[in-house]
Amino acid sequence: RRSSSGESSEVSEGFFEQLKNNPAYKGIDIDRELQKMDAWFLTPAAKGRKKTRRFVVNWLNRIDTELPQGKSLARRLWEEGSREQADQS
């Protein structure tokens, strides 16, 4: 299937391999997330939805990877920013 931009929206094994090798998704277990997607597609919330490239990338981009300290990246950055503001006061 082709989108209006001419890009294929079908998901292939090659696409998944590209994601697994992409540094942006380092630390994310792509296979596990694909299993979560498949489970989500069994729910009523997924009615009419398809596993397209766009859907997969959006799903992966919403994951908040845990750092070794047990805090999410967003939380750690927020805490660092708060400390910097306190130091400037």
Side-chain angles (χ1 to χ4, degrees):
R1 216 170 117 182
R2 301 249 174 226
S3 68
S4 58
S5 65
E7 182 181 328
S8 174
S9 62
E10 291 181 13
V11 183
S12 66
E13 283 301 315
F15 175 68
F16 294 133
E17 287 305 313
Q18 287 177 339
L19 292 175
K20 290 175 188 177
N21 294 321
N22 188 322
Y25 300 114
K26 181 180 178 183
I28 295 176
D29 185 343
I30 303 287
D31 292 322
R32 183 168 185 244
E33 292 305 319
L34 292 172
Q35 292 170 350
K36 287 182 188 180
M37 283 180 226
D38 290 340
W40 182 81
F41 278 112
L42 298 174
T43 69
K47 186 176 181 181
R49 302 292 298 268
K50 293 184 173 145
K51 191 192 293 184
T52 62
R53 289 178 178 207
R54 182 178 181 179
F55 180 89
V56 172
V57 169
N58 285 339
W59 179 288
L60 295 175
N61 287 342
R62 287 187 178 104
I63 296 172
D64 198 12
T65 8
E66 291 291 322
L67 297 176
Q69 295 84 5
K71 294 180 183 174
S72 71
L73 178 59
R75 176 75 180 179
R76 185 171 175 198
L77 292 174
W78 179 82
E79 288 176 352
E80 288 175 5
S82 297
R83 274 192 298 249
E84 287 176 8
Q85 286 179 351
D87 291 343
Q88 292 174 359
S89 300

